[in-house]
Amino acid sequence: MRRKANWKKAVSLTLFLMTGTALVTAADVVRPPAGTAPGEAEYRLGPEDVIEVFVWKEPELTTTVVVRPDGRISLPLANELEASGKTASELQQEISAKLSKYVVQPVVNVMVKQVNSLKISVLGEVRRPDVYRIKNRVTVLDAIAMAGGFTDLARPNRVIIVRTTSAGPQRIKINIKQLVADESGAPFYLQTLDTVYVE
């Protein structure tokens, strides 16, 4: 009876994962980095995002710019600034500090007009490997579901997240089977430009 129950459980898990609708659990055991739980972090800018920089009473300094592929923007008087990876409020403070050399107590407001940088890649043994644009934060399970679920050759215990950080590429190993089995585990949220690779 126990063997039959275990077999049914294994079949159910496999079917669930192959449809891409399962809620899976992360592992080796990997927990989300600080600031990746839902609602905890402000949106961080990325390449192709469109922002408006408004400087009160300084119309010649007010402008709309696109974050370049290198993550930087060019502004009057403030010159070159790194925008990618910063929140609107962080960028606002940095612009204010730069403009304070030329303007007395500048009042700066940074508004995100278009979000174009939110995308992830899902590669390897999934049914529809591709680059996916996302509108909301997604978990590793959501990403696998978007890519159509695992192929028959996939190894759910060998999923790798490749993440670009300031210190260089980071490889995070995820054991989907363990993630699903861990009822108390927190979901593993992806960051924009992450690559999910299923072996």
Side-chain angles (χ1 to χ4, degrees), residues 9-30:
K9 198 173 185 181
V11 169
S12 298
L13 177 60
T14 303
L15 290 173
F16 219 17
L17 288 172
M18 288 181 70
T19 59
T21 56
L23 291 178
V24 231
T25 32
D28 268 8
V29 160
V30 178

Side-chain angles (χ1 to χ4, degrees), residues 2-65:
R2 181 178 296 176
R3 183 178 297 173
K4 190 173 182 181
N6 287 342
W7 180 82
K8 282 185 175 179
K9 198 173 185 181
V11 169
S12 298
L13 177 60
T14 303
L15 290 173
F16 219 17
L17 288 172
M18 288 181 70
T19 59
T21 56
L23 291 178
V24 231
T25 32
D28 268 8
V29 160
V30 178
R31 296 289 179 229
T36 59
E40 280 188 5
E42 283 185 70
Y43 174 70
R44 294 191 175 273
L45 297 166
E48 300 181 35
D49 285 347
V50 180
I51 59 174
E52 182 181 351
V53 179
F54 173 79
V55 185
W56 189 56
K57 290 188 176 180
E58 300 291 342
E60 67 279 4
L61 299 180
T62 295
T63 184
T64 299
V65 292

Side-chain angles (χ1 to χ4, degrees), residues 16-22 24 120-123 125-129 132 138-151 154-156 159-161 174 176 179 190 196-198:
F16 219 17
L17 288 172
M18 288 181 70
T19 59
T21 56
V24 231
I120 56 170
S121 300
V122 188
L123 306 173
E125 294 297 332
V126 290
R127 299 190 182 279
R128 295 191 301 274
Y132 292 90
V138 298
T139 67
V140 63
L141 300 178
D142 295 330
I144 292 169
M146 287 164 58
F150 295 127
T151 67
R155 293 190 283 179
V159 175
I160 297 170
I161 311 297
I174 305 289
I176 297 296
L179 181 60
L190 297 176
V196 179
Y197 183 78
V198 179

Side-chain angles (χ1 to χ4, degrees), residues 126-199:
V126 290
R127 299 190 182 279
R128 295 191 301 274
D130 206 343
V131 176
Y132 292 90
R133 286 195 177 272
I134 53 177
K135 294 184 179 179
N136 302 301
R137 301 183 69 207
V138 298
T139 67
V140 63
L141 300 178
D142 295 330
I144 292 169
M146 287 164 58
F150 295 127
T151 67
D152 295 338
L153 301 176
R155 293 190 283 179
N157 61 331
R158 295 178 66 91
V159 175
I160 297 170
I161 311 297
V162 180
R163 177 170 294 167
T164 302
T165 68
S166 55
Q170 178 185 12
R171 290 167 61 87
I172 304 167
K173 294 181 181 178
I174 305 289
N175 183 333
I176 297 296
K177 287 183 178 178
Q178 185 178 338
L179 181 60
V180 171
D182 184 4
E183 295 179 0
S184 62
F188 187 92
Y189 283 90
L190 297 176
Q191 295 179 9
T192 185
L193 303 181
D194 276 358
T195 296
V196 179
Y197 183 78
V198 179
E199 293 189 6

Side-chain angles (χ1 to χ4, degrees), residues 91-144:
L91 185 59
Q92 193 169 286
Q93 290 172 7
E94 191 172 340
I95 294 169
S96 295
K98 291 262 189 181
L99 293 181
S100 63
K101 297 175 185 177
Y102 311 100
V103 179
V104 178
Q105 295 182 333
V107 178
V108 178
N109 190 16
V110 172
M111 294 164 283
V112 181
K113 304 293 282 185
Q114 290 181 32
V115 175
N116 298 319
S117 66
L118 290 181
K119 51 190 169 186
I120 56 170
S121 300
V122 188
L123 306 173
E125 294 297 332
V126 290
R127 299 190 182 279
R128 295 191 301 274
D130 206 343
V131 176
Y132 292 90
R133 286 195 177 272
I134 53 177
K135 294 184 179 179
N136 302 301
R137 301 183 69 207
V138 298
T139 67
V140 63
L141 300 178
D142 295 330
I144 292 169

